[in-house]
Amino acid sequence: MKILLCLWQLPQVLLAGIVIVFLKMRRVPVKKEYYKGIPVYWYTMDTGWGVSLGEFILLANRYNETTVKHEYGHTRQSLMLGPLYLLVIGIPSAVFNNLWDRLFHKKWTSADRSRWYYNRLPEKQADRLGGVVR
Ligand SMILES: [Zn+2]
């Protein structure tokens, strides 16, 4: 069953492997914990991001429990979408939400940016699936 799941989420699993190897090669401290059976890799960097790839969650250590829940929502999206996850969730999240926000919302307050960000698909759905109440 684990092998079928790995094949279903193969693009995400491969990308997660690359990111984890990259963090280890750069000797970034990484602490592994579990959330609802999903490994969460907390890494220590001044700036950082959070991402859910297949059965892996990678988070900079500045994030909190709410972000873990949100990423767990993305984990559930990945389960549902399988090979389409990066196309439907990953790319829109990275390009249209993150990049768009950084380019066009520079003058917004961080609260307004956060509200805008988490009201967009697929972020709103990830919150709902992860049980996040904002
Ligand atoms: Zn998200």
Side-chain angles (χ1 to χ4, degrees):
M1 203 60 199
K2 213 54 173 164
I3 291 170
L4 283 178
L5 186 62
C6 195
L7 285 174
W8 175 243
Q9 298 177 313
L10 193 60
Q12 294 89 285
V13 173
L14 290 175
L15 198 53
I18 290 168
V19 174
I20 291 167
V21 167
F22 172 80
L23 290 172
K24 290 196 180 213
M25 282 175 60
R26 301 240 356 236
R27 298 181 194 277
V28 174
V30 177
K31 189 175 75 177
K32 185 178 172 186
E33 291 179 347
Y34 284 87
Y35 179 76
K36 296 187 177 183
I38 302 294
V40 180
Y41 291 83
W42 293 97
Y43 65 91
T44 306
M45 280 177 124
D46 292 339
T47 59
W49 29 261
V51 69
S52 176
L53 294 165
E55 296 284 292
F56 302 93
I57 293 173
L58 297 119
L59 283 171
N61 64 349
R62 67 188 171 97
Y63 288 111
N64 59 24
E65 176 84 13
T66 302
T67 308
V68 175
K69 287 180 175 179
H70 174 82
E71 292 303 328
Y72 182 73
H74 283 310
T75 302
R76 293 187 60 196
Q77 289 172 325
S78 175
L79 265 175
M80 291 184 268
L81 293 167
L84 296 176
Y85 173 79
L86 290 179
L87 209 62
V88 176
I89 308 292
I91 293 171
S93 180
V95 175
F96 297 111
N97 294 350
N98 281 322
L99 195 63
W100 185 276
D101 179 55
R102 282 167 211 227
L103 289 175
F104 299 110
H105 300 157
K106 287 178 184 167
K107 292 180 180 170
W108 288 18
T109 65
S110 65
D112 284 345
R113 290 173 77 162
S114 180
R115 199 173 305 114
W116 176 85
Y117 184 84
Y118 291 107
N119 264 319
R120 296 176 55 83
L121 269 174
E123 305 306 330
K124 194 171 189 162
Q125 184 189 42
D127 270 357
R128 189 173 49 77
L129 292 171
V132 176
V133 179
R134 293 190 193 272

